[in-house]
Amino acid sequence: MSDKPPLQRYLIWVEYHGGPFAGWQRQDHAPTVQGCLETAAAALNGAPVTVFGAGRTDAGVHAERQAAHLDLRADIPGRKIADALNYHLRPHPICVLSAHPVSDTFHARFSATARYYRYDIVNRRADLALSRGLAWRVATELDAGAMAAGAEDLIGEHDFSTFRDAQCQAASPEKTLDTLTVQRLGAQIVIHCSARSFLHRQVRSMVGSLVEVGRGVRSPDWIGAILAKRDRAACGPVAPADGLYLVGVDYPDP
């Protein structure tokens, strides 16, 4: 009879600065968020551990509340799992905010019912100092009202081929965008969006096109027109990764 602790699945909530990483997904020759978490978890588990994330953020993309799950045999009380993982994550800019035991049928990716992203733009002529690497500086004055008007045409169920990266592996370009808002807060423009799931680089592609509207290069109705084309070549410039944050994931009530 084995004296090893039973296998327990944990839901962890993770915050990270995406700047030093080649994205979420594990790679053989580049640092990634998943790779760092798996190294930390293996130190607790005494054996390799696979960490499954709710979303595979790109290189340079940040997270305020990324969700992930992992299975551990570590003989550590649940409330101390986060502290133990954080000990082994130092000095990487990743922290586990909390860890909770969940059913072994829970899956961080497939159980998710909604994902929330925020994009931060600093709209000023001066370069960034405190927000460098954490926002997109756009020097041209942006019309947030025009951007919000254009964003309305993207809400709902559509074929988002125009805003789909060529490397996207999703089975279908059809997605339902639940919310997309644009708000000016002084020199900052904040864009929030939510959906059950997103195509690869969909958010950054939408933001880049909305900024073309904000600059006055395009009219708000251009957004609906390029969406209808279902053609990646019609998309505006893709916004940089710096300003994008995964800010939350929803799951059904237990």
Side-chain angles (χ1 to χ4, degrees):
M1 185 174 180
S2 174
D3 58 356
K4 291 183 178 180
L7 201 62
Q8 174 63 58
R9 180 160 297 182
Y10 292 91
L11 163 63
I12 60 173
W13 292 98
V14 187
E15 175 185 281
Y16 52 85
H17 187 306
F21 302 107
W24 165 271
Q25 192 169 6
R26 181 194 320 108
Q27 297 183 30
D28 290 337
H29 304 294
T32 67
V33 179
Q34 182 187 31
C36 290
L37 284 168
E38 289 179 345
T39 298
L44 298 187
N45 203 53
V49 176
T50 300
V51 176
F52 298 88
R56 298 175 179 177
T57 52
D58 288 340
V61 175
H62 316 293
E64 290 185 352
R65 279 185 67 80
Q66 163 76 289
H69 83 261
L70 69 166
D71 296 335
L72 294 174
R73 292 191 186 277
D75 191 12
I76 300 173
R79 67 183 183 278
K80 294 187 177 180
I81 292 291
D83 290 343
L85 288 170
N86 286 331
Y87 175 82
H88 291 287
L89 282 166
R90 298 186 183 104
H92 301 295
I94 306 171
C95 74
V96 176
L97 301 171
S98 62
H100 310 281
V102 290
S103 162
D104 60 6
T105 62
F106 174 87
H107 196 288
R109 179 182 175 190
F110 299 118
S111 299
T113 58
R115 293 166 173 84
Y116 300 86
Y117 284 89
R118 186 186 77 242
Y119 197 97
D120 290 347
I121 297 171
V122 177
N123 189 203
R124 71 185 194 193
R125 290 183 58 83
D127 288 339
L128 300 182
L130 297 179
S131 298
R132 183 170 296 178
L134 298 171
W136 179 17
R137 180 185 70 91
V138 178
T140 306
E141 182 73 15
L142 297 177
D143 183 341
M147 293 169 68
E152 291 181 4
D153 286 337
L154 297 175
I155 298 171
E157 184 178 358
H158 303 287
D159 180 328
F160 282 96
S161 292
T162 298
F163 303 97
R164 181 186 192 183
D165 187 82
Q167 303 301 316
C168 182
Q169 298 178 0
S172 168
E174 294 186 359
K175 295 290 179 183
T176 299
L177 189 63
D178 296 319
T179 62
L180 180 58
T181 62
V182 182
Q183 182 181 18
R184 178 178 283 281
L185 301 170
Q188 187 177 30
I189 291 179
V190 182
I191 300 173
H192 287 277
C193 60
S194 65
R196 185 181 183 94
S197 62
F198 290 87
L199 300 169
H200 187 208
R201 291 188 182 162
Q202 179 183 343
V203 178
R204 289 168 57 194
S205 297
M206 294 189 301
V207 169
S209 293
L210 289 172
V211 165
E212 291 295 280
V213 172
R215 284 177 168 141
V217 176
R218 303 286 188 174
S219 62
D221 60 7
W222 175 71
I223 297 294
I226 63 173
L227 173 69
K229 287 184 177 181
R230 303 177 185 178
D231 181 0
R232 180 64 176 174
C235 186
V238 177
D242 295 8
L244 185 59
Y245 297 76
L246 174 58
V247 296
V249 185
D250 281 349
Y251 294 102
D253 292 333

